[in-house]
Amino acid sequence: MRKIITRLAEDLEKIREEKPLLHHITNYVVANETANLTLCVGALPVMAQDQKEVEEMVSHAGALILNIGTLSLELVEAMILAGKRANELKIPIVFDPVGVGATSLRTESARKILRELYVDIIRGNAAEVSILAGYGGKIRGVESLGVENDLSLSIKEFAFKKNCIVAATGEEDLINDGKRLAIVKNGHPMLNRVTGTGCMATTLIAAFAAVEKDKFLATIGGLVTFGLAGEKAAQQTLEKPGSFHVALYDAIFNLSLDDILKEAKVEIV
Amino acid sequence: MRKIITRLAEDLEKIREEKPLLHHITNYVVANETANLTLCVGALPVMAQDQKEVEEMVSHAGALILNIGTLSLELVEAMILAGKRANELKIPIVFDPVGVGATSLRTESARKILRELYVDIIRGNAAEVSILAGYGGKIRGVESLGVENDLSLSIKEFAFKKNCIVAATGEEDLINDGKRLAIVKNGHPMLNRVTGTGCMATTLIAAFAAVEKDKFLATIGGLVTFGLAGEKAAQQTLEKPGSFHVALYDAIFNLSLDDILKEAKVEIV
Amino acid sequence: MRKIITRLAEDLEKIREEKPLLHHITNYVVANETANLTLCVGALPVMAQDQKEVEEMVSHAGALILNIGTLSLELVEAMILAGKRANELKIPIVFDPVGVGATSLRTESARKILRELYVDIIRGNAAEVSILAGYGGKIRGVESLGVENDLSLSIKEFAFKKNCIVAATGEEDLINDGKRLAIVKNGHPMLNRVTGTGCMATTLIAAFAAVEKDKFLATIGGLVTFGLAGEKAAQQTLEKPGSFHVALYDAIFNLSLDDILKEAKVEIV
């Protein structure tokens, strides 16, 4: 375990040194927030979604983020074009199926993306991941209202079937690569008080995926980092969601390797 | 009066308990800000604007917000699709005619929306509301430069004609249901220093409309809450618009029922 | 020099008095941020990008900002429609060629804009400006990785050829009108930690261009103001990019004429 956490800390250092470009095809609600988060963790953001440029843009990227928070058929087409190019170039893809299950457009688009692309990592809340995996779940808009199945089991089967990493984030984050289950216990309830924190977690996972070959570790790294930043941000801003949001950027920027070594709460079972 | 204000406080409590979903079809300038405000008042935000999903999404919503801040014909079509479904399901609609009068696209789109949908509540600045009501007004971009008619009279006639609630917000907020005029005196000049505070007020009205049957009261509730939050946010951040913007979220989140009971400034005449 | 700086301070006063409307056709990543910055400097923002309304909207504007950060062919068409109307009405245009060189869509769109419109001021980072001028440069996404040519020379030739003002911003900002070179040394490294600070600088230049006939001075004015605000914001928020971002709005809002008179660092050579 110590070895893994040391490697996560080294990955964070690598992000800051290599400054990978994170190409986001994402929703307009959190575009600014995820771009700023990208800068704060030490990477470079670019948002580009036109079908005429996404293949060219992604070819310079360290990772591609596909987020269907405010989707359209055109946007999904752009995601598939960018994704195919990313697959050819072995650039990792992180997929965030925002609100899947809430409308059939979202469900069908998400399935289409998974059918046409190899996606390295899928991150969603419990309902999104469970619905996408085919086990059902309750969602109100983009908010998980819970699942009835055993989530750790369904993400395992889903990850195994898709041969990728599946992460269901929430009070505890569950990550599975089809064999191993990791549980990340870092985080803070204040993260639920700010919109787009799921999208932000996805961005951090992508930053780690850009520098870490083992995508299971990359996913853990992104979620530990984000959870830790949430804990630190909450120290001074409890019950103040606006101030907490601001402090979250400060915390990501200032997260030290030592913070990870000492405060990461990860179990692998 | 005491009875009304007590009911507004109870409505705020109800929002926090029931967490209604607020479906926004809105502009990309303030999407993040209104989503965060929705969370801060205790409701759940969802932004979805594709014609292929809006009818399905709105059917789960407690209220629908239509905001033409960055409109296109496609977006207006989506608004009408969502709005018709909302009308069928008796889900309240709050309409924010941003910049109406500034271009004929905005004026015609706003009129089309009012022709094709039953809108429960209209909220705009003085010029927007007066122009939409057919009495003219001066607007620069999306900023009211004032009206020459008697605003309290024109919103009364407009509300009566449309059988809905009309609110013209500004230094004092005027609200009319075709018979009664309410004046909300909560608020702070710093609210003019942040973009999208009109859109935010509309979001809060929608939160109240989702839990309060009497839409006249819901409109008053949203505007009292927003005005009070502005007053509290300004206490520590006078002449600091960036800090004020952050404090506004904190203030909405922390607004107590007692704050409303003691500090609401409403007159009904 | 003293005379020039006095005039810049007077221009800032004029912005606050006249409140010019700044019509942005810009990317969705920084729309909220540039709208808020516009309010903080004392001007009025409007974001409108539909081809059916941009000509009408721009005719009320004091300046037009064209920013290709998240472009599409439709958006570029809207820019050209708005720009032609602006040219007819002698409304100044400020062009921000975000990410030019990163994809051919961006490069071709930027060239098309320069071919079809008279643009008063071009502002980009070193790579963007150098690539647009035809001298090449390295860009990763929207981030300049540097140029190999003598930047002060290439912007001079480019400005001369296009008969406009060209500004390449970075650690020092270089501004050329085809004859004179101005160097603005205000600024702070923390500005690199927030997304969209280039776009924000463009917005401030447009605010000055709306009230100042000499566009060379207007460009200097915008960049001095932005640099100074960055310096002041950094005083309390060093190594805290989230807090710095908030403080930047406060600093712009509170910048005094005296601050400009005493702290502007401009050389004209």
Side-chain angles (χ1 to χ4, degrees):
Chain A
M1 204 62 227
R2 181 85 333 226
K3 220 172 119 186
I4 286 179
I5 289 175
T6 305
R7 182 148 156 195
L8 300 182
E10 290 165 359
D11 285 342
L12 178 58
E13 204 165 22
K14 234 190 253 183
I15 295 168
R16 290 171 178 167
E17 278 165 14
E18 299 182 10
K19 297 180 185 297
L21 181 68
L22 305 185
H23 179 184
H24 289 71
I25 306 185
T26 189
N27 67 76
Y28 56 76
V29 185
V30 303
N32 185 270
E33 286 64 31
T34 48
N36 270 323
L37 198 76
T38 302
L39 285 176
C40 287
V41 77
L44 296 176
V46 75
M47 274 62 186
Q49 82 295 328
D50 195 89
Q51 293 177 28
K52 289 185 186 62
E53 72 166 350
V54 289
E55 292 164 287
E56 209 176 342
M57 190 62 94
V58 77
S59 58
H60 305 293
L64 173 64
I65 291 129
L66 303 181
N67 174 312
I68 60 168
T70 52
L71 81 174
S72 65
L73 291 185
E74 292 69 34
L75 199 68
V76 172
E77 264 335 295
M79 290 180 182
I80 287 171
L81 284 171
K84 285 192 172 165
R85 190 92 187 95
N87 280 173
E88 280 168 26
L89 299 171
K90 312 254 181 251
I91 294 165
I93 300 179
V94 188
F95 177 43
D96 193 329
V98 183
V100 76
T103 68
S104 54
L105 177 67
R106 287 172 193 250
T107 307
E108 285 162 24
S109 297
R111 292 206 196 291
K112 188 177 183 183
I113 287 167
L114 290 188
R115 207 165 49 234
E116 302 214 11
L117 302 177
Y118 173 72
V119 162
D120 299 75
I121 303 165
I122 299 169
R123 188 222 61 87
N125 60 37
E128 287 162 350
V129 167
S130 178
I131 289 166
L132 195 58
Y135 296 91
K138 281 188 192 164
I139 195 157
R140 188 190 281 168
V142 298
E143 185 88 359
S144 173
L145 301 183
V147 296
E148 286 177 9
N149 53 314
D150 177 343
L151 192 62
S152 64
L153 209 67
S154 36
I155 66 168
K156 182 179 178 172
E157 288 181 24
F158 191 37
F160 183 79
K161 199 174 87 181
K162 288 288 174 190
N163 188 27
C164 73
I165 313 301
V166 176
T169 57
E171 209 180 318
E172 289 184 354
D173 304 326
L174 306 181
I175 302 132
N176 206 301
D177 66 351
K179 296 180 295 269
R180 291 167 295 175
L181 172 68
I183 304 172
V184 172
K185 295 188 174 172
N186 294 105
H188 195 279
M190 282 301 290
L191 288 166
N192 296 323
R193 303 302 189 176
V194 176
T195 199
T197 47
C199 309
M200 291 182 189
T202 298
T203 287
L204 283 192
I205 291 172
F208 276 81
V211 302
E212 167 61 75
K213 280 205 153 188
D214 182 335
K215 302 316 177 201
F216 183 64
L217 293 189
T219 308
I220 298 170
L223 294 175
V224 162
T225 308
F226 193 57
L228 266 175
E231 292 170 18
K232 292 184 182 296
Q235 281 167 10
Q236 312 290 337
T237 60
L238 216 58
E239 303 301 306
K240 295 183 174 176
S243 303
F244 172 78
H245 189 179
V246 172
L248 195 54
Y249 299 107
D250 297 348
I252 291 278
F253 184 79
N254 286 296
L255 209 65
S256 71
L257 308 191
D258 223 45
D259 289 332
I260 291 183
L261 293 175
K262 288 190 184 142
E263 301 174 42
K265 294 190 200 116
V266 187
E267 283 173 32
I268 296 183
V269 291
Chain B
M1 204 63 226
R2 182 83 335 227
K3 219 171 117 186
I4 286 179
I5 289 175
T6 305
R7 183 151 156 192
L8 300 182
E10 289 165 359
D11 285 342
L12 177 59
E13 205 166 20
K14 235 190 254 183
I15 295 169
R16 291 172 178 167
E17 279 165 13
E18 299 181 10
K19 298 182 182 297
L21 182 68
L22 305 185
H23 179 184
H24 289 72
I25 305 184
T26 190
N27 67 75
Y28 56 77
V29 185
V30 304
N32 186 270
E33 285 63 29
T34 47
N36 271 322
L37 199 75
T38 301
L39 285 177
C40 287
V41 77
L44 296 176
V46 74
M47 274 60 187
Q49 80 296 326
D50 195 89
Q51 293 177 28
K52 288 185 187 62
E53 71 165 351
V54 289
E55 292 164 287
E56 210 175 342
M57 191 62 94
V58 77
S59 58
H60 306 292
L64 173 65
I65 291 130
L66 304 180
N67 174 311
I68 60 168
T70 52
L71 81 174
S72 66
L73 291 186
E74 291 70 32
L75 199 67
V76 172
E77 264 333 296
M79 290 180 183
I80 287 171
L81 284 172
K84 286 194 171 163
R85 191 91 186 95
N87 280 173
E88 281 167 24
L89 299 171
K90 312 257 182 248
I91 294 165
I93 301 179
V94 188
F95 177 43
D96 194 329
V98 183
V100 75
T103 68
S104 53
L105 178 67
R106 287 172 194 252
T107 307
E108 285 162 23
S109 297
R111 292 204 197 292
K112 187 177 183 186
I113 286 167
L114 290 187
R115 209 165 47 232
E116 302 213 10
L117 301 177
Y118 173 71
V119 162
D120 299 76
I121 303 165
I122 300 169
R123 189 224 59 88
N125 61 36
E128 287 162 349
V129 168
S130 177
I131 289 166
L132 194 59
Y135 296 92
K138 281 187 190 164
I139 196 157
R140 188 190 282 168
V142 297
E143 184 89 359
S144 173
L145 302 182
V147 295
E148 286 177 8
N149 53 312
D150 178 342
L151 191 62
S152 64
L153 209 67
S154 36
I155 65 167
K156 182 181 177 169
E157 288 181 23
F158 191 38
F160 182 79
K161 200 174 87 181
K162 288 289 174 189
N163 188 28
C164 73
I165 313 300
V166 176
T169 56
E171 207 180 320
E172 290 185 354
D173 304 327
L174 306 180
I175 301 131
N176 207 301
D177 66 351
K179 297 179 295 271
R180 291 167 294 174
L181 172 68
I183 304 172
V184 173
K185 295 190 174 172
N186 294 104
H188 195 280
M190 282 301 290
L191 288 167
N192 297 321
R193 303 302 189 178
V194 175
T195 199
T197 47
C199 309
M200 291 182 191
T202 297
T203 287
L204 283 191
I205 291 171
F208 276 80
V211 301
E212 167 62 76
K213 280 204 153 188
D214 182 335
K215 302 315 178 200
F216 183 64
L217 293 189
T219 309
I220 297 170
L223 294 175
V224 162
T225 307
F226 194 57
L228 266 175
E231 293 170 18
K232 291 183 182 296
Q235 281 167 10
Q236 313 290 336
T237 60
L238 216 57
E239 304 301 308
K240 295 184 174 176
S243 303
F244 172 78
H245 188 180
V246 172
L248 195 53
Y249 300 106
D250 297 348
I252 291 279
F253 185 79
N254 286 295
L255 208 65
S256 69
L257 308 191
D258 223 46
D259 290 331
I260 292 183
L261 293 175
K262 288 190 183 140
E263 301 174 42
K265 294 190 200 118
V266 187
E267 283 173 32
I268 297 183
V269 291
Chain C
M1 205 60 228
R2 182 82 336 223
K3 220 172 118 186
I4 286 178
I5 288 175
T6 305
R7 183 150 156 193
L8 299 183
E10 290 165 357
D11 285 342
L12 178 58
E13 204 165 22
K14 234 190 254 182
I15 295 169
R16 290 170 178 169
E17 280 165 12
E18 299 181 9
K19 298 180 184 298
L21 181 68
L22 305 186
H23 180 185
H24 289 72
I25 304 183
T26 189
N27 66 76
Y28 56 77
V29 185
V30 302
N32 185 270
E33 286 62 31
T34 48
N36 270 323
L37 198 77
T38 302
L39 285 177
C40 286
V41 76
L44 296 177
V46 74
M47 275 59 188
Q49 82 295 329
D50 194 89
Q51 293 177 29
K52 288 184 186 63
E53 72 165 351
V54 289
E55 293 165 288
E56 210 176 342
M57 190 63 93
V58 77
S59 59
H60 305 293
L64 173 64
I65 291 129
L66 303 180
N67 175 310
I68 60 168
T70 52
L71 80 172
S72 66
L73 291 186
E74 292 69 33
L75 199 68
V76 172
E77 264 334 295
M79 290 180 182
I80 287 171
L81 284 172
K84 285 193 171 164
R85 190 90 187 96
N87 280 174
E88 281 167 26
L89 299 171
K90 313 252 182 251
I91 294 164
I93 299 179
V94 188
F95 178 42
D96 193 328
V98 183
V100 75
T103 68
S104 54
L105 177 67
R106 288 172 193 251
T107 308
E108 285 162 23
S109 297
R111 293 206 197 290
K112 187 175 183 187
I113 286 167
L114 290 187
R115 207 163 52 232
E116 301 214 12
L117 301 177
Y118 173 72
V119 162
D120 299 76
I121 303 165
I122 299 168
R123 188 222 61 86
N125 61 36
E128 287 163 349
V129 168
S130 178
I131 288 166
L132 194 59
Y135 295 92
K138 279 189 193 165
I139 195 156
R140 187 190 285 168
V142 298
E143 184 88 359
S144 173
L145 300 183
V147 296
E148 286 177 8
N149 54 313
D150 178 343
L151 191 62
S152 64
L153 210 67
S154 36
I155 65 167
K156 181 180 179 173
E157 288 180 24
F158 191 38
F160 182 79
K161 199 173 87 180
K162 287 288 172 189
N163 188 28
C164 74
I165 313 301
V166 176
T169 56
E171 207 180 322
E172 289 185 355
D173 304 327
L174 306 180
I175 301 131
N176 206 302
D177 66 351
K179 297 180 296 269
R180 292 167 294 175
L181 172 69
I183 304 171
V184 172
K185 295 188 175 173
N186 294 104
H188 195 280
M190 282 301 290
L191 288 166
N192 297 323
R193 302 302 189 174
V194 176
T195 199
T197 47
C199 309
M200 291 183 190
T202 298
T203 287
L204 283 192
I205 291 171
F208 277 80
V211 301
E212 167 60 77
K213 279 203 154 192
D214 183 334
K215 302 314 178 202
F216 184 64
L217 293 189
T219 308
I220 297 171
L223 294 175
V224 162
T225 307
F226 194 57
L228 266 175
E231 293 171 18
K232 290 183 183 295
Q235 280 167 11
Q236 312 290 336
T237 60
L238 217 58
E239 303 303 305
K240 295 184 175 177
S243 303
F244 172 78
H245 189 180
V246 172
L248 195 54
Y249 299 106
D250 296 348
I252 292 279
F253 184 79
N254 286 296
L255 209 65
S256 70
L257 309 191
D258 223 46
D259 290 331
I260 292 184
L261 294 174
K262 287 188 183 142
E263 300 174 43
K265 295 191 200 115
V266 187
E267 283 173 32
I268 296 182
V269 290

